[in-house]
Amino acid sequence: MASETTHDVAHTAMTLIDQLPVLQILIPLVAAPLLVLLGTKRLSWAITFIASVLAFAVSIALLWLVKDGGFISYELGGWAPPLGIEYRVDAANAFVLLLISGISTVILPFAYTSVRAEIAERHHTLFYSCYLLCLTGLLGVVITGDAFNVFVFLEISSLSTYALIATGAGKNKRALTAAYDYLVMGTIGATFFVIGLGFLYMATGTLNMADIAERIADQGANRTIQAAFAFIIVGMGLKAAIYPLHLWLPNAYTYAPSAVTVFLAATATKAAIYVILRFSFSVFQPEFMFETLTFEYLVLPLALLAMFAASFIAIFQTDLKRLLAYSSLAQIGYMLLGIALMNETGITAAIVHLFNHGITKAVLFMGVGAIVLRTGSSFLYRIQGMGRVMPVTAAAMVVGGLSLIGVPGTAGFISKWVLVQGALEKGWWPIAVLIVLSSLLAVIYVWRMVEILYLSSPVVGADKREAPLTMTIPMVIMAGACVYFGFATDITIGASTTAAQGLLGGTTGMIEVIETATQAGH
Amino acid sequence: MDFDFIIGHLNYWLFIVLMMTGLYIVIAKGNLVKKIVGLNIFQTAVFMFYISIGKVENGTAPIFPMDMNVDPSVAYSNPLPHVLILTAIVVGIATTSLGLALVVRIHEAFGTIEEDDLLKIERDMATREYELHGSAMGGRA
């Protein structure tokens, strides 16, 4: 079989477009060790930025190719799936790829200043190397069509994340215990995920997601598949910080360096939510009774609990970073709620919110990072009145805050609107009411942030200057995106609807957009 | 559930026992190094699970003869789970080493690796921060 495949490849001209899926992963993966080998501190940021821009360009091209509902199947090393590893790009993951690589590209200029202020210079090369590995892992988790490959990329991103969080130790030693806690819980989560994959392999004898889905549909639900589902949801739930499994998140976000917090808050949990979506709808059959029951009686109440409890805890925080971390937990609740609705509108809402919350939290955490640069702390009493001396930063944060609440005209409104529609479509109007009520809690903590920033005089000892341009420009871009996606919904809702249809319908009815070289030969 | 079933699935029972032992150590032990050891036992249990899946009844080691004259009547065990577990072992080693490195750094920074002491130190730090915050904000918070 191998010889047959190579024979085909030799006779077909490969173009760059054929290789896009693998380039998405290869660019950051190759750049990471390159940084360490070159070992120059000045070049390390530049190489990271270039790699990130290239990855962003690739993901734009990929989304462009699949936005009308097709998919791309890339055979790694020319080995045809289901035996070989397959990268499968459709609207759902192309959209998440765009979010991850886009966020990474926009926040890197911000990271340049922030990292120089918060991390010892001798660690910079290794820091950016870890950053690139984390980016590789997250992109890999999202792009791959092979179930075990998800685990491998998940661990690449997790291991580098633990190291990135621990680099916050220079400022606050609690970063070390936060990283340790995350390491223990993250490893338990990943191991649960592997056990789930083991059960899936036991039941189906294959690791290719599309192939697993076909075979599960043939044999129907049984105890092994139920066990697999339980392990995978709990394992990924730990990574996505579903409400009772969230204990690692507040400390990790609070004590990590600002740049790392921005990146993690905007991308890491989103990749995990994507995996839950992909496994729930493209691998397992959503029609299975046990899956419907799990979502209706377990995930839905937990999502509602997260929306209220986490927002409520956020109100009483004394540290702005921790306040936003709890708000992230609440927002993950909205995404889970969308998934738990199990209809097309609900899943569309989950994917749109995944994107919109990513850009919203990026603005807010970047704002905090800029304030930390000037005041040295994110404690509310230390940042009082900083909105008056940092007008651009504070204005961007207010836009982000409005988007967090879901005020019309911002991205956050769009996703909550679709979510409410999804709940009403299902006839669950009390849920729609609860969505609105929990947004009111967001009003309280966002107002607290605004009050601290504007309605008091600046503390003595703070550096009373606006943040440098490298920080304000990414913030303004992201805040602009929050407003832009609040009006121009074609891209977000369009891609998300196609994605939701693809997730619910499976790839069986889809057209393959690119004939890869091996298939062209047949 | 008869005797044969229980004996026939011995490796699966052991997998569950090992897994629970590991998980219990991670949760119950206060020493950070012991937690890492527990995590290792937990992961090793999964390796055992995967290798059990790969076993085919009456199957032999999946090695083809040198002359590639494969006898179709010979059953081979499935080698794929073993390969997967090789990857998982590598991941496990990386996790262990990173975890232990963090423990070393925690010991340098806090002077202890006992969870109770660490929690106490962190609680004291948090209390001091709250007091500072409370007085700065006019005693309200």
Side-chain angles (χ1 to χ4, degrees), chain A residues 148 155 159 162 166 173-174 176-177 180 184 187 191-192 194-195 197-198 201 207 318 379-381 452, chain B residues 26 32 35 42-43 46 50 53 78 80 84 91 95 98 103 105 109-110 122 125 129-130 132-133 136-137:
Chain A
F148 199 79
E155 282 298 47
L159 285 166
Y162 309 146
K173 62 182 178 181
R174 273 173 286 181
L176 294 170
T177 43
Y180 182 87
V184 170
T187 307
T191 311
F192 265 57
V194 179
I195 297 173
L197 294 184
Y201 185 71
L207 287 167
T318 50
F379 269 95
L380 292 178
Y381 74 92
I452 291 285
Chain B
V26 175
L32 298 191
K35 275 179 189 285
F42 178 52
Q43 288 181 315
V46 182
Y50 265 73
I53 305 173
N78 184 353
L80 185 74
L84 296 178
V91 170
T95 313
L98 184 60
V103 173
R105 289 291 310 275
F110 289 84
E122 296 198 335
M125 287 170 86
E129 281 166 358
Y130 284 136
L132 261 176
H133 187 90
M137 302 288 274

Side-chain angles (χ1 to χ4, degrees), chain A residues 399 402-403 406-414 479-487:
Chain A
V399 173
L402 293 177
S403 176
V407 174
T410 57
F413 171 73
I414 302 299
C482 277
V483 176
Y484 178 77
F485 288 117
F487 290 104

Side-chain angles (χ1 to χ4, degrees), chain A residues 229 233 244 288-305 336-337 339-342 426 428 431:
Chain A
F229 181 73
I233 292 294
F288 282 165
M289 209 49 193
F290 71 85
E291 192 172 327
T292 323
L293 291 178
T294 309
F295 278 116
E296 204 171 317
Y297 292 106
L298 192 69
V299 177
L300 183 80
L302 289 178
L304 291 172
L305 193 66
L336 285 173
L337 182 63
I339 301 176
L341 290 176
M342 309 257 318
K426 195 113 182 177
W428 292 351
I431 304 254

Side-chain angles (χ1 to χ4, degrees), chain A residues 123-313:
Chain A
H123 293 142
H124 282 189
T125 311
L126 291 175
F127 175 89
Y128 284 115
S129 191
C130 276
Y131 179 94
L132 278 172
L133 283 177
C134 187
L135 178 64
T136 311
L138 293 173
L139 292 171
V141 164
V142 175
I143 203 172
T144 187
D146 184 275
F148 199 79
N149 219 228
V150 173
F151 164 70
V152 175
F153 278 120
L154 185 75
E155 282 298 47
I156 292 177
S157 74
S158 301
L159 285 166
S160 43
T161 307
Y162 309 146
L164 286 174
I165 292 171
T167 52
K171 256 177 77 71
N172 192 327
K173 62 182 178 181
R174 273 173 286 181
L176 294 170
T177 43
Y180 182 87
D181 285 349
Y182 186 19
L183 180 131
V184 170
M185 289 192 223
T187 307
I188 292 175
T191 311
F192 265 57
F193 183 70
V194 179
I195 297 173
L197 294 184
F199 280 118
L200 269 185
Y201 185 71
M202 216 168 158
T204 61
T206 174
L207 287 167
N208 183 284
M209 288 187 202
D211 207 27
I212 294 175
E214 256 171 52
R215 295 193 192 189
I216 286 182
D218 288 346
Q219 59 179 268
N222 57 43
R223 197 70 71 80
T224 314
I225 291 174
Q226 286 175 4
F229 181 73
F231 273 108
I232 286 173
I233 292 294
V234 173
M236 268 302 151
L238 259 164
K239 283 280 169 196
I242 291 182
Y243 186 65
L245 307 171
H246 69 283
L247 287 170
W248 57 268
L249 188 141
N251 274 345
Y253 280 16
T254 311
Y255 301 121
S258 303
V260 176
T261 310
V262 180
F263 186 58
L264 291 184
T267 58
T269 45
K270 311 294 175 289
I273 292 276
Y274 162 79
V275 175
I276 291 179
L277 265 171
R278 174 65 74 187
F279 270 87
S280 304
F281 296 104
S282 300
V283 175
F284 295 98
Q285 300 292 305
E287 299 85 42
F288 282 165
M289 209 49 193
F290 71 85
E291 192 172 327
T292 323
L293 291 178
T294 309
F295 278 116
E296 204 171 317
Y297 292 106
L298 192 69
V299 177
L300 183 80
L302 289 178
L304 291 172
L305 193 66
M307 281 155 51
F308 282 93
S311 300
F312 196 66
I313 298 170

